[in-house]
Amino acid sequence: MQKTVTNAKNSTRIRFATSKDIAEVISINFKTLPEHYSNSFFMELLLDSPETFVVAENNNKIVGYIMCRIEYGFSVLKKMSLARKGHVVSFAVLDEYRGEGIGKKLAERAIEGMKIKKCNESYLEVRTDNTPAIKLYENLGFNKIATLNTYYKDGRNAFLMSAKLNRNN
Ligand SMILES: CC(C)(COP(=O)(O)OP(=O)(O)OC[C@H]1O[C@@H](n2cnc3c(N)ncnc32)[C@H](O)[C@@H]1OP(=O)(O)O)[C@@H](O)C(=O)NCCC(=O)NCCS
């Protein structure tokens, strides 16, 4: 089937999410990803770190989101060190709005938020066959750190990817 071109790049606003957006975010999550969460989990992450819960809005409709959790614990990048980490938990753009730079803008804004929250690094898990997402993360400075075997419920593997965050820029 031919893809509908939305040309939404210039008419899409990237902004922090509010509680009013959560229902639409959950709907996008169901349409785009096999990993789902309880409604209260979305709300919890929004309340914990609104700076890293970002949505893309086009014509009063949410077309993409990125949701992250701020964690403190062992560094993904440096053995036996502690770090404040921004964990990308869930990230998606509606199919018809992809390939227009919206995902990149969402991720960039979330990374800015992680810096505001004083994170030293960011990390995420991504399916090893998810080339679009892996390319996007690599463009933003993430590196593959490890392969997590049978990480997903369906038995598929994930790459653990991480990026050092420079808070001075
Ligand atoms: C991953 C995802 C959020 C990207 O959103 P998007 O709006 O299409 O991404 P962008 O248009 O901003 O693209 C940014 C970069 O990603 C990479 N990319 C995006 N789509 C790609 C594709 N189909 N093939 C290869 N690379 C791709 C490119 O490096 C691109 O940069 P470029 O345009 O300068 O080459 C989107 O594909 C999606 O929602 N996928 C389903 C859910 C998902 O997999 N989420 C990630 C879970 S870890």
Side-chain angles (χ1 to χ4, degrees), residues 146-165:
T147 302
L148 308 174
N149 289 322
T150 58
Y151 177 80
Y152 294 101
K153 274 188 186 155
D154 60 9
R156 306 295 278 273
N157 299 342
F159 287 129
L160 173 66
M161 298 186 76
S162 184
K164 189 167 164 40
L165 300 185

Side-chain angles (χ1 to χ4, degrees), residues 8 24 28 35 52-53 61 69 120 125-126 137 167-168:
E24 277 184 274
I28 296 175
E35 292 79 37
T52 56
F53 200 138
K61 172 181 157 182
R69 183 163 59 192
N120 327 88
E125 299 84 10
V126 56
Y137 297 135
R167 297 216 302 268
N168 299 322

